[in-house]
Amino acid sequence: MDTVAIPEPRLPRRVLMGPGPSDVYPEVLAAMARPTIGHLDPAFVEFMDQLNERLRHAFKTRNAVTLPISAPGSAGMECCLVNLLEPGEKIVIATNGVFGGRMQEIVKRCGAVPVNVDFEWGTPADPDRMREALEAHPDAVALAFVHSETSTGVRSDAEALCALAHEFECLAIVDAVTTLGGIELRVDDWGVDAIYSGTQKCLSAPPGLSPVSFSAA
């Protein structure tokens, strides 16, 4: 077989100003150049323990089940929803942008029933309207919302929405893909039951990991 000369790719240097991915810290890029070790290596296990503890600090939680999933934020969303919902169960979802809609799609695929509460794009989820939906569906087992919608940048009141979920004995599931490391986020203080994020936004790390955290509830 003839040898084929493949030119070395030349990637331009960009200042990334979009909603993600964001610029990666030089220290992170340098760390990625370190030698690879196996996942069964004792050093890797120790490293993962340290990483999970740092994620607990970022999430402001003591949840034992706090770890990064080797996948993007949408996989973190799927991880939270499919592990907490049974077929036929209802979940009330605030949809004020693209990713509330994606929650609905995943819920339908796992056989659960999404109760959609639509909001105009660019507006936060209104706790009063979410309350009305929970009152209309007392058999709902969870409430889900996006803390800050990537598609619009609008932030909803996570603390108020989590309190509302618990008032109706529902789990509070939070999308924090664009907020972890960027604005105030207190998983334990606010009573978040399941939360997921992404490394390529405010954490300024490469894409491909989705930190998640589950409460003991």
Side-chain angles (χ1 to χ4, degrees):
M1 179 179 293
D2 294 337
T3 301
V4 178
I6 301 176
E8 181 180 348
R10 297 184 179 276
L11 298 179
R13 189 171 186 83
R14 307 288 194 205
V15 176
L16 301 176
M17 301 294 288
S22 58
D23 282 329
V24 178
Y25 285 111
E27 296 88 345
V28 176
L29 293 175
M32 294 176 68
R34 295 177 183 175
T36 300
I37 59 174
H39 64 286
L40 299 179
D41 191 308
F44 181 82
V45 176
E46 180 182 2
F47 168 78
M48 283 299 298
D49 288 341
Q50 294 173 354
L51 176 58
N52 293 346
E53 189 59 33
R54 292 181 180 189
L55 285 176
R56 291 185 190 97
H57 175 73
F59 277 124
K60 297 293 185 291
T61 184
R62 297 310 307 160
N63 289 341
V65 183
T66 302
L67 70 158
I69 295 175
S70 300
S74 291
M77 176 190 292
E78 186 167 357
C79 172
C80 289
L81 293 171
V82 302
N83 280 289
L84 295 177
L85 296 173
E86 296 289 342
E89 289 184 331
K90 286 184 181 178
I91 175 173
V92 176
I93 300 174
T95 302
N96 60 342
V98 168
F99 293 96
R102 186 167 297 176
M103 285 184 181
Q104 294 180 57
E105 295 171 3
I106 293 173
V107 167
K108 291 176 182 177
R109 287 203 302 270
C110 66
V113 180
V115 177
N116 181 43
V117 185
D118 258 323
F119 297 93
E120 182 180 354
W121 283 34
T123 63
D126 180 0
D128 290 336
R129 287 190 54 202
M130 298 300 288
R131 174 182 293 277
E132 292 173 0
L134 289 167
E135 290 174 342
H137 299 274
D139 53 343
V141 300
L143 181 152
F145 62 92
V146 180
H147 189 194
S148 177
E149 250 294 346
T150 301
S151 55
T152 65
V154 70
R155 177 182 66 87
S156 293
D157 189 338
E159 184 175 8
L161 291 170
C162 288
L164 180 64
H166 295 152
E167 181 182 335
F168 286 84
E169 298 184 350
C170 289
L171 296 174
I173 303 175
V174 181
D175 178 316
V177 169
T178 59
T179 56
L180 179 64
I183 62 175
E184 185 178 26
L185 177 61
R186 297 185 174 277
V187 168
D188 286 356
D189 290 348
W190 296 351
V192 178
D193 293 299
I195 190 166
Y196 56 91
S197 187
T199 50
Q200 78 280 14
K201 307 283 187 177
C202 293
L203 295 179
S204 293
L209 290 176
S210 177
V212 300
S213 186
F214 292 86
S215 75

